[in-house]
Amino acid sequence: MRCRRMLYIYCTSMIVINNTEAQKPIYRNSAYALYPDSVVQGNFIAKATSSTQINSNYQSPANEFVSPELNFKFSINRKDNEMPSGVNHQFNCVATNGGCETPVIKFGTRFTDNKKIPPDTYLAPDTKFTIKVDMREVLAAFKQAGYFTTFNGDKIYAADFKELYVAGASDPMMWDFDNLHQRPQLELKDPDADGIYETSMILNETKKQKELAAAWKLTKDISRFPQYHSGSNMPDAIYNMALEEMENAVEPDSTFRTGKEWAGVWTRDISYSIILSMAYLQPKVAKNSLLKKVKNGRIIQDTGTGGAYPNSTDRIVWAIAAWELYKATGDRDWLEQAYTIIKNSIDDDIANAQDKVTGMMRGESSFLDWREQTYPKWMQPADIFESECLGTNAVHYKANMVLSEMAGLLNKAVEVKKYALNANRIKDGVNKYLWMPDKGYYAQYLYGNNFKRASPKSESLGEALSVLFGIADNTKQQSVISKTPVTSFGLPCIFPQIMDIPPYHNNAVWPFVQSYWAQAAAKAGNEKSVLESISAIYRAAALFVTNKENFVIANGDYKGTVINSSNMLWSISGNIGLVHKIIFGIEFQSDGLLFHPFVPEALKGKRSLTNFTFRNAILNIELDGFGNKIQSFFVDGKLQPVAFIPANITGTHTIKIILENNKPGGETNQVENHISLATPLAEIKVNVISWPAINGAAQYLVLKNGKEFLKTNETHIQLIESDYAEYQVIAKDAQGYESFASQPVVYGKNKPFLIEAESIVSKTDFTYEGFSGNGFIEISKHKNTIVQIPVMIMEDGEYVISFKYANGNGPTNTENKCGIRTLSEGKTFLGTVIFPQRGVNEWSNWGFSNPVKLSLKKGSHVITLSLEPANENMNFEINQAMLDYISFMRIE
């Protein structure tokens, strides 16, 4: 019976394929094809039988042909602290009697399985896997010394030992150390207290129920929203499915739900969604959602590394969403309310996060806020704060421009100029420090320690926003769209990918990013890129019969990313925006609607968009032809000199747009996906810098103070001593792609001058361990809000000041208790110092704040560390750290 059913499905699929092949494809590449009523990817087919139904036979291949070779390592307190990055245990799980078990593996000693895997052997479904690790040496160190020293010299104190996990590459294991606790089976325990910890889990687990629906059929009334008719079933059905899922994404309190698996309102998610299409489709829900992310008259940064703000500063995308909402509604009260919120937030950001040298804003990459998914593992939260990222700066630039425009409408002349000037400072910094002429697109971010370097990876959302917001000039716009790497299944978030990091931001495509890219491609006049982007989004929506959040680059599958969700708001919003903002070219302005349609020739023909609400008017729009140039624009049958609808229009109107049938052309940089090499681990002994060989490296670059110093095929070089120098190593592969730069190591005559914090302020009574001197001090909203630091400088120069601190108020990857303080001398502002969270209740886990550069003259100085109004974090109650000592280092 089962065989007969499978034969029926196969034959039916073949009939559909044959019928589909008779049609001319809208788009085809080596991976899939999009037709007017179907999507075909190998044997998988999605068929739109009408504008209200899609059937799909897609099955995830994620559980097929899974290798039995398992790579993993152990983790104390959810940190990568057992062995160097890229060094893992390897065990061949060839199951017997439904399971396999490791020998007892000594913590910190690499295990390599010598058993050979028989040919054509794969990991059996539902294999029970048991792991055992010997922790006796670690526990003995806790007992004898009070701490255990890891491979890199870090100390883990006995009081801070909370938990032991296993991280790895085979599901349910994962390499996301920060979130290992979300999978309880990954925690190893020692119930008999013999020092041998173990756990068991099911590998290659088969699901009892199919994870995707086989079909979508419209069940909700979506008639109050704009109705789209293209003459083809698949585009119309995908559009209607997005409208229905949009309805599903509204909570009972009339705020947006981020996704099926993501409850609640998240600042960046709803903001990017509102910009894409929700501002005008759901204005009341958009407003409610935006206001839910405001506290104390400021925008909430609700997620981010090390305690959110200011490690992450992309909350400011809220401002662009608020502006889009005003343009859609013309609500003057909203304009005034939003203006105050945005101004307060931007003023804080200027104080806390703006680099006065580059003009750019600090804070981790916008939306790419999952540490090792886009940063080298050596970077601590304070290092990530110091990075100056493309996407984050794009939204800061636009937010400042928005505030300037708002000020103009509110007759605030001083603010118009002030924030426009600041926007241009950011824009100039992006073009000076992040543009890569040799590649023709922008770099991912500046990173490093006291001397930063641009990471040459592309960062796709940032590239798109730089085009859309006008950071890139016309020449750069065309270059960015034609030269940024894209793959068969779509636009990767970053390129190339990071080794040994599972797909999520790394090694994945996000449809909402692809939607912004499509809009940027339309602005740059690149027809090929527009069509590729629309097709990439339609492929996923049709085959998965939902708007997923992300999918894997290698095979376009929704499984295999660390986390995914159906009915994802920003994917939905971007999908709808393809029709409204690209095909029909609707651009909201403060005084009306501007039209600049872009219809690729493959989508040529007549189409309509009816019941489109704009303020007090309803527009029924007809569009004919292809290209991106308007031949004629009619309103109620009358030819208009410009394709513009004023904001004061009322009633129902008919618009007809005829395109010139021009061919904009354009090229794209289609590449095979690529994984960059592992990050080198450099160290200096005496006067030699060395590093272990990196597998696949064709050459190494050695950096000195952020600039290329020399190229070598060796794994060590001799150094000549100077006053101060920071060295890093980069591995390059045969294709010229670079690894991340290694963690900076310092060599030079200058030594840091240390001031024990308890020598200037009374020490606290807390009994934490691992500090230097006679104790440490507490800073909080109630204690030591002002700390005066007297220091004698022996010679003029450029110095950096940093603080050794502890903050056990939360994990390294989220929450909202980052400590923030202002550094000044007299009335002169010197910089912002942050004290990110370093682990839950890990108060003996000491690390360094971000460094602040100072120009100091010889003589005595009093440096002030103070809690200022701008230094509010997102918790608003706890703003605390322990300070061990203050370090002054002369670097120039």
Side-chain angles (χ1 to χ4, degrees), residues 527 530-531 534 582-583 598-604 607 625-627:
E527 180 181 9
V530 169
L531 184 61
I534 292 172
I582 297 176
I583 299 297
F598 197 124
V599 180
E601 185 177 7
L603 296 172
K604 65 183 177 182
R607 64 196 72 237
F626 63 88

Side-chain angles (χ1 to χ4, degrees), residues 60-100:
S60 171
N63 293 97
E64 298 177 10
F65 309 114
V66 177
S67 172
E69 180 180 311
L70 307 180
N71 290 276
F72 56 89
K73 68 196 323 180
F74 302 106
S75 166
I76 295 175
N77 296 345
R78 291 183 277 144
K79 292 181 173 62
D80 188 0
N81 51 17
E82 185 197 8
M83 298 181 290
S85 179
V87 178
N88 306 314
H89 302 295
Q90 182 263 314
F91 175 74
N92 298 329
C93 182
V94 180
T96 56
N97 298 320
C100 58

Side-chain angles (χ1 to χ4, degrees), residues 602-870:
L603 296 172
K604 65 183 177 182
K606 294 183 178 181
R607 64 196 72 237
S608 66
L609 186 67
T610 57
N611 195 36
F612 188 92
T613 301
F614 173 55
R615 299 192 183 183
N616 296 313
I618 295 175
L619 308 178
N620 297 314
I621 310 165
E622 298 176 18
L623 179 62
D624 191 8
F626 63 88
N628 64 344
K629 292 182 180 179
I630 295 175
Q631 183 183 92
S632 53
F633 184 85
F634 297 89
V635 177
D636 298 329
K638 295 180 181 180
L639 183 65
Q640 304 295 312
V642 291
F644 183 79
I645 299 294
N648 60 2
I649 192 172
T650 61
T652 301
H653 299 272
T654 298
I655 296 171
K656 185 173 183 179
I657 307 171
I658 301 175
L659 298 178
E660 286 191 1
N661 293 342
N662 66 301
K663 299 180 181 182
E667 294 299 323
T668 60
N669 183 19
Q670 283 271 354
V671 298
E672 292 294 323
N673 195 30
H674 191 81
I675 297 174
S676 56
L677 299 179
T679 305
L681 296 169
E683 63 175 353
I684 293 176
K685 291 184 178 179
V686 190
N687 65 338
V688 174
I689 181 172
S690 62
W691 56 94
I694 298 296
N695 187 34
Q699 189 179 55
Y700 300 99
L701 302 182
V702 179
L703 307 180
K704 180 180 180 181
N705 294 342
K707 299 185 183 300
E708 186 176 313
F709 178 56
L710 59 82
K711 299 176 181 178
T712 182
N713 292 320
E714 303 295 329
T715 57
H716 63 277
I717 61 167
Q718 189 169 333
L719 303 176
I720 299 174
E721 189 175 45
S722 59
D723 287 341
Y724 180 91
E726 290 180 4
Y727 292 92
Q728 294 173 278
V729 180
I730 292 170
K732 290 183 73 172
D733 63 23
Q735 294 176 253
Y737 290 108
E738 297 182 3
S739 72
F740 282 127
S742 64
Q743 184 171 6
V745 288
V746 174
Y747 181 64
K749 299 175 185 176
N750 296 347
K751 304 300 178 187
F753 173 66
L754 306 182
I755 300 174
E756 291 290 342
E758 71 276 12
S759 71
I760 52 177
V761 174
S762 297
K763 67 180 181 180
T764 181
D765 293 331
F766 290 119
T767 57
Y768 307 138
E769 301 176 275
F771 55 87
S772 65
N774 297 317
F776 52 91
I777 71 170
E778 178 189 3
I779 57 172
S780 70
K781 297 193 77 169
H782 310 290
K783 294 183 179 179
N784 299 317
T785 56
I786 298 176
V787 178
Q788 304 279 3
I789 307 166
V791 61
M792 178 63 69
I793 297 300
M794 305 309 295
E795 58 181 320
D796 296 356
E798 296 296 314
Y799 290 78
V800 291
I801 180 174
S802 58
F803 296 77
K804 193 170 186 182
Y805 81 97
N807 182 349
N809 281 313
T812 56
N813 64 321
T814 186
E815 295 192 10
N816 57 15
K817 303 182 191 75
C818 177
I820 316 172
R821 294 297 184 273
T822 292
L823 204 66
S824 59
E825 184 173 18
K827 294 184 179 179
T828 303
F829 172 83
L830 300 176
T832 298
V833 183
I834 69 162
F835 307 99
Q837 300 162 185
R838 294 184 58 82
V840 178
N841 293 322
E842 293 185 37
W843 288 102
S844 298
N845 180 353
W846 300 89
F848 284 95
S849 71
N850 61 304
V852 176
K853 290 186 179 181
L854 315 172
S855 293
L856 296 176
K857 298 289 186 181
K858 180 180 178 180
S860 62
H861 296 261
V862 177
I863 307 298
T864 302
L865 184 75
S866 60
L867 178 63
E868 302 297 333

Side-chain angles (χ1 to χ4, degrees), residues 108-417:
T109 300
R110 187 180 191 181
F111 174 78
T112 301
D113 196 341
N114 294 319
K115 296 195 309 286
K116 290 187 177 181
I117 300 172
D120 299 320
T121 299
Y122 302 99
L123 186 64
D126 299 317
T127 296
K128 183 179 179 181
F129 176 45
T130 299
I131 309 175
K132 295 183 178 181
V133 58
D134 184 350
M135 291 289 288
R136 287 175 294 188
E137 186 175 293
V138 176
L139 298 174
F142 285 154
K143 187 174 182 179
Q144 294 166 13
Y147 60 84
F148 171 75
T149 303
T150 66
F151 71 92
N152 62 357
D154 289 344
K155 293 178 180 178
I156 301 172
Y157 283 84
D160 283 346
F161 176 46
K162 311 296 181 187
E163 54 212 357
L164 180 70
Y165 287 92
V166 61
S170 301
D171 189 68
M173 292 187 290
M174 59 180 177
W175 290 118
D176 178 15
F177 288 87
D178 287 323
N179 290 293
L180 292 172
H181 65 294
Q182 294 181 359
R183 300 184 181 183
Q185 66 268 47
L186 302 185
E187 184 174 5
L188 296 96
K189 296 185 177 181
D190 180 17
D192 56 4
D194 65 350
I196 308 300
Y197 286 65
E198 66 179 89
T199 189
S200 296
M201 66 194 73
I202 301 300
L203 301 178
N204 199 19
E205 186 174 7
T206 55
K207 304 298 182 182
K208 294 182 180 179
Q209 296 181 350
K210 192 169 183 284
E211 294 189 1
L212 289 177
W216 165 81
K217 187 174 183 179
L218 181 65
T219 59
K220 292 183 181 291
D221 181 5
I222 57 172
S223 61
R224 68 188 181 95
F225 299 110
Q227 301 297 295
Y228 178 49
H229 301 283
S230 69
S232 298
N233 283 345
M234 184 57 78
D236 293 358
I238 288 174
Y239 175 85
N240 289 331
M241 181 174 69
L243 288 181
E244 182 170 64
E245 291 198 323
M246 177 187 71
E247 287 275 75
N248 296 337
V250 179
E251 299 278 30
D253 65 350
S254 291
T255 59
F256 287 121
R257 182 182 180 89
T258 304
K260 184 179 179 181
E261 309 299 330
W262 291 99
V265 177
W266 297 83
T267 303
R268 73 169 64 94
D269 297 56
I270 58 110
S271 296
Y272 279 119
S273 301
I274 289 167
I275 297 164
L276 284 165
S277 61
M278 292 299 109
Y280 57 91
L281 287 175
Q282 302 259 39
K284 290 182 180 179
V285 181
K287 182 178 178 180
N288 292 341
S289 300
L290 289 171
L291 288 176
K292 198 166 184 177
K293 306 313 295 183
V294 175
K295 188 172 182 178
N296 290 2
R298 286 157 173 79
I299 305 162
I300 296 172
Q301 181 78 43
D302 52 17
T303 183
T305 291
Y309 186 80
N311 288 289
S312 285
T313 61
D314 71 336
R315 64 175 181 163
I316 206 62
V317 71
W318 187 102
I320 309 169
W323 178 235
E324 198 71 15
L325 180 59
Y326 168 73
K327 290 188 294 181
T329 63
D331 184 342
R332 181 82 178 186
D333 291 339
W334 172 248
L335 176 69
E336 294 177 356
Q337 184 180 16
Y339 172 84
T340 301
I341 295 166
I342 296 166
K343 184 178 183 301
N344 291 341
S345 304
I346 284 181
D347 287 347
D348 286 354
D349 289 347
I350 291 171
N352 291 323
Q354 190 159 29
D355 185 329
K356 301 304 184 287
V357 175
T358 66
M360 293 194 293
M361 306 300 293
R362 299 181 178 93
E364 67 187 324
S365 295
S366 182
F367 119 85
L368 305 173
D369 64 335
W370 201 329
R371 295 184 65 201
E372 63 271 16
Q373 284 283 333
T374 42
Y375 286 95
K377 288 186 177 181
W378 61 260
M379 289 182 72
Q380 294 295 306
D383 300 314
I384 291 174
F385 163 74
E386 280 289 320
S387 65
E388 299 176 28
C389 307
L390 178 62
T392 302
N393 275 277
V395 296
H396 276 285
Y397 163 76
K398 184 63 175 178
N400 276 264
M401 289 301 297
V402 161
L403 189 55
S404 177
E405 290 186 71
M406 285 183 162
L409 293 175
L410 297 172
N411 299 314
K412 299 176 183 291
V414 173
E415 285 78 10
V416 170
K417 183 177 180 180

